[in-house]
Amino acid sequence: MARLKKAEKIFIVRSLAQFMTPTEVVKDIKVKFSIDVSPQQVEGYDPTKVAGAELSQEFIDLFNEARKEYLAQPLHNIIGANDIVQLQILSDLLVSKKGNTILAIKLIDQIQKIMKGHYEKKIEIYGKDGGPIKTETEQKQSLPKYTPDELANMTPQELSRLAITGKL
């Protein structure tokens, strides 16, 4: 188990707050800090997990604040949320996979959907004056009620006819 400095611990806590998996954090910390840590050690800095139950209040507050900031950021800050970026990625994939006809067709379809605003069109249905839609239910015609005596007096053919027509 590697001994971590405060900066490295903060990096781990902030990464976990941004919904990175412990394995992803292990890879990132290896690249940025040249330290080998285990996913279990990283998980100990996540207060939402059992392993992070003993985490100090300082890191719990940091985790909660980082998560709040991450969730509050506007969508245009996310690389894949931008149409132009999506189109560029799909275009690159299309060029590299043009020998695969089925995948190429799917990619072209995806590009067309983005270009035509397929994902942006929302249809909202309102009732009169913007209120809720009024719904009415029709009452089904009640079936005739037969007493046990009436049923006992019927012939088998009459009973089967009632059963077939759904009146029994």
Side-chain angles (χ1 to χ4, degrees):
M1 212 154 106
R3 187 135 171 94
L4 301 173
K5 297 175 187 167
K6 187 166 183 171
E8 296 154 351
K9 292 176 183 179
I10 289 172
F11 176 81
I12 292 171
V13 170
R14 291 189 66 81
S15 298
L16 291 170
Q18 294 176 0
F19 299 100
M20 288 178 69
T21 65
T23 306
E24 292 170 332
V25 176
V26 166
K27 289 177 186 173
D28 269 6
I29 205 161
K30 174 75 173 166
V31 170
K32 290 187 173 105
F33 295 101
S34 300
I35 298 173
D36 288 320
V37 292
S38 68
Q40 292 79 12
Q41 185 178 2
V42 168
E43 200 171 72
Y45 290 94
D46 188 346
T48 63
K49 304 280 193 246
V50 174
E54 300 294 321
L55 194 60
S56 70
Q57 189 61 43
E58 173 190 6
F59 289 121
I60 292 172
D61 293 341
L62 176 65
F63 179 91
N64 291 331
E65 185 61 32
R67 169 98 19 122
K68 189 171 133 187
E69 286 174 16
Y70 182 74
L71 293 175
Q73 71 177 329
L75 282 178
H76 67 273
N77 286 350
I78 299 171
I79 295 170
N82 189 326
D83 284 349
I84 293 173
V85 174
Q86 290 176 3
L87 289 170
Q88 184 62 50
I89 292 168
L90 290 171
S91 177
D92 292 345
L93 282 171
L94 182 61
V95 170
S96 68
K97 303 291 183 184
K98 65 181 173 186
N100 185 340
T101 308
I102 295 172
L103 183 59
I105 291 170
K106 288 180 181 179
L107 289 169
I108 290 169
D109 184 49
Q110 184 71 25
I111 290 170
Q112 287 178 343
K113 286 179 180 178
I114 292 171
M115 290 298 297
K116 293 179 181 177
H118 176 74
Y119 298 109
E120 296 172 9
K121 294 179 184 173
K122 292 182 181 178
I123 299 173
E124 295 186 26
I125 301 173
Y126 299 102
K128 185 178 179 183
D129 299 323
I133 297 174
K134 184 179 176 185
T135 57
E136 297 177 5
T137 55
E138 275 187 33
Q139 293 290 336
K140 286 189 176 182
Q141 203 173 20
S142 61
L143 298 174
K145 305 275 188 215
Y146 295 103
T147 64
D149 292 334
E150 290 174 328
L151 290 172
N153 291 334
M154 289 186 185
T155 64
Q157 286 120 353
E158 291 174 316
L159 287 172
S160 69
R161 184 173 31 86
L162 288 175
I164 290 172
T165 57
K167 295 182 180 178
L168 184 61

